[in-house]
């Protein structure tokens, strides 16, 4: 279960959480034992990481786009019945508050393509995008507007600057059977995190040269009750599918995260 020990002159990351929106929804979407009337407020976060040696910036998730109602119509229709959406500032505004712009971001790793994680990608016109290999399955039938039923606009991922993590050098790490040492220096690992949606990935980053870590869980667990064993993943709510497309895989992933350390996870953001 141990994580890799640091090397000599070990690179690591500094990390900042960025406010990129807020959601209000019923807890029963996520928890099997929630009261039908209980609601949860979900902060939507993006994470800015800076490499200690190269000083390059990596952004994990982009939160909610400010003009989210301009997303593909079928996606907007799916959001409104379940979520109250509030975006006082988006990821671009959060970066601006810290003296940065999207052009300063070397890499954007998107945990998955749900609306509250993928934001609006065109401003990141010089960034390299990294997503799970199975992400392509989400738009096998084409993009909006060519396919009016698609949830995904053609601009969502720049094809010439996007890496799909298919046949990369996956290796086991701690409780995770598939981890990819993204920079090859032990500073950050992309974790294959199945169960939530096709292509879902998490991130494990060193936060000091002597071995401190942070786990950015994407949508692996939407509530602390799931990590503490007080609730199980909700399978169905109001006759509709729950928060994960594969309940068994999602619960297995939660168990891996929960068993990874005393501070089990940092929930990057939450989504549909």
């Amino acid at each position: 279960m141990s994580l890799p020990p640091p090397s000599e002159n070990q690179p690591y990351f500094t990390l900042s959480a960025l406010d990129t929106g807020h959601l209000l929804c019923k807890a029963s979407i996520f928890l099997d034992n929630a009261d039908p009337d209980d609601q949860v407020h979900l902060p939507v976060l993006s994470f800015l990481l800076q490499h200690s040696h190269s000083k390059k910036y990596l952004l994990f998730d982009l939160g909610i786009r400010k003009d989210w109602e301009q997303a593909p119509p079928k996606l907007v229709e799916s959001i409104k019945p379940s979520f109250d959406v509030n975006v006082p500032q988006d990821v671009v505004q959060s970066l601006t508050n810290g003296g940065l712009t999207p052009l300063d971001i070397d890499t954007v790793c998107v945990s998955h393509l749900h609306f509250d994680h993928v934001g609006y990608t065109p401003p990141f016109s010089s960034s390299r995008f990294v997503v799970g290999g199975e992400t392509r399955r989400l738009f096998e039938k084409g993009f909006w507007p060519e396919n009016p039923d698609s949830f995904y606009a053609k601009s969502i991922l720049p094809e010439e600057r996007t890496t799909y993590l298919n046949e990369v050098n996956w290796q086991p790490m701690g409780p995770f059977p598939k981890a990819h040492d993204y920079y090859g220096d032990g500073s950050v690992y992309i974790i294959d995190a199945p169960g939530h949606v096709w292509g879902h990935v998490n991130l494990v980053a060193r936060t000091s040269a002597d071995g401190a870590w942070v786990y950015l869980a994407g949508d692996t667990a939407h509530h602390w009750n799931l990590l503490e064993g007080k609730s199980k993943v909700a399978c169905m709510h109001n006759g509709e599918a729950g928060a994960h497309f594969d309940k068994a895989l999602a619960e297995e992933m939660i168990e891996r995260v929960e068993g990874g350390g005393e501070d089990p996870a940092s929930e990057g953001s939450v989504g549909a």
Side-chain angles (χ1 to χ4, degrees), residues 141-162:
K141 296 181 179 180
F143 296 98
W144 179 85
E146 287 80 8
N147 176 3
D149 293 326
S150 177
F151 282 23
Y152 309 101
K154 192 171 183 64
S155 63
I156 195 166
L157 291 172
E159 186 63 31
E160 70 282 1
R161 289 184 284 113
T162 298

Side-chain angles (χ1 to χ4, degrees), residues 84-131:
D84 289 333
V85 182
N86 182 27
V87 191
Q89 64 182 32
D90 61 9
V91 69
V92 175
Q93 290 171 299
S94 290
L95 289 171
T96 300
N97 292 344
L100 298 174
T101 76
L103 298 180
D104 294 311
I105 306 303
D106 180 70
T107 303
V108 177
C109 180
V110 181
S111 65
H112 62 293
L113 295 194
H114 282 164
F115 80 99
D116 55 332
H117 293 258
V118 75
Y120 184 62
T121 59
F124 297 86
S125 58
S126 62
S127 303
R128 186 78 199 174
F129 284 77
V130 180
V131 295

Side-chain angles (χ1 to χ4, degrees), residues 29-30 67-68 76 82 147 173 242 254:
I29 295 176
F30 310 120
D67 60 344
W68 64 273
V76 176
S82 298
N147 176 3
M173 186 190 75
I254 289 170

